[in-house]
Structure formats: structure tokens, C-alpha cells
Amino acid sequence: YALPGVFEPVNCNGRVLVDGALVNPVPVSVCRAYEQPLVVAVNLHYDLFGRAAVIKHSAGELVIEKDAPRPGHVDPEHQSHQTRLGITGVMVEAFNIIQDRISRARLAGDPPDMSLQPKLSHIGLTEFHRADEAINLGYQATMAQIGELTRLQSVLA
């Protein structure tokens, strides 16, 4: 995971490599290029942001607002969630917002045969100690769609 500004890029065969998610967070197009009969995308950013995610600067503090409600609309389940961050946190959150927007655009233009969207927004990007929890949530999301996956595999294979 070579996030620019947070982690040092990797040097490989004379090339400097950063995270591929900068341009293709859910690489359906790569699978299509290799002519795979069934492409299942796993979008790990699906529930991180609603339609409105804003980074703003207020009185010396940087704040991320996620799922900001529409003006005049109060919904307790979707109330604005604010997080105060340092500069590294803002960089990571900005990267997440960019990945989300790029993912949405690329998936709209080149949709997979099926998309799995485990709900992982409550697990932080650097909470590696919660890997078992994330894997279990991914497994549950997959098992919830296993019938459709099996059907697609038999149709497209």
C-alpha cells in the first residue's frame, strides 16, 4: 500500500510505483482486458461516503463531514458525522474520497458482472488488528450472494 505522502513509493525494476487505486480502485477493466468470463468486483469503499463528503478548514482545524444531510432535513440515521484530523488523517480521508469517486465513475462506465459491497466503514484504513473482522464481513457479503454467484458462473463460464 503505497499511498503518496503517507508511505514511501516502491522501487521495482527501475520504476517508482504508488498505489494503483490512484487511477483504478476497483480494477474491473483489468479483468476485462484479460478476457475473464466472470468479473466480480469487491468495492471496499462502498459505504464510506454518501453523496456528500466534504473536507473543510475551520479555525485551524481540518474537518471531514460525511453524509451531510440536505439543508432543512434531519434524519437521525444519516446525521452529519464530523471527525477532527491532523494533516496525515486529512490526506488519507481525501484519498478515500478520491477513490470513492473514481470507483463510482469507473464502475458506471465498465460495470462488473456482480459487485460485492461489504460494509467496512467502521474499520479504519490502518486498523490492521481488525483484519479478521474485515475478512469475516467480506465472507458474509459473499455468502449472501453465493446463489447469484453460482448462477452467473454457470451462465458465463
Side-chain angles (χ1 to χ4, degrees), residues 16-90:
V16 177
L17 305 177
V18 296
D19 200 292
L22 287 173
V23 294
N24 203 355
V26 186
V28 171
S29 59
V30 174
C31 295
R32 298 268 187 236
Y34 283 97
E35 299 179 1
Q36 296 303 303
L38 174 63
V39 177
V40 178
V42 180
N43 187 351
L44 301 177
H45 288 92
Y46 177 76
D47 70 330
L48 273 180
F49 304 102
R51 293 182 186 213
V54 178
I55 299 177
K56 64 182 182 177
H57 184 268
S58 174
E61 292 184 321
L62 294 165
V63 177
I64 298 282
E65 284 192 3
K66 299 178 186 177
D67 293 324
R70 294 184 308 270
H73 178 74
V74 178
D75 180 353
E77 291 187 18
H78 296 96
Q79 284 185 346
S80 179
H81 171 71
Q82 292 187 351
T83 305
R84 304 211 184 289
L85 304 167
I87 191 68
T88 301
V90 168

Side-chain angles (χ1 to χ4, degrees), residues 84-122:
R84 304 211 184 289
L85 304 167
I87 191 68
T88 301
V90 168
M91 288 177 62
V92 169
E93 288 295 321
F95 181 71
N96 285 335
I97 291 169
I98 291 166
Q99 279 191 303
D100 176 66
R101 296 306 183 254
I102 293 170
S103 294
R104 290 173 191 250
R106 290 193 71 117
L107 289 172
D110 191 7
D113 298 305
M114 175 174 236
S115 185
L116 299 174
Q117 301 162 336
K119 307 287 189 274
L120 302 173
S121 64
H122 64 285

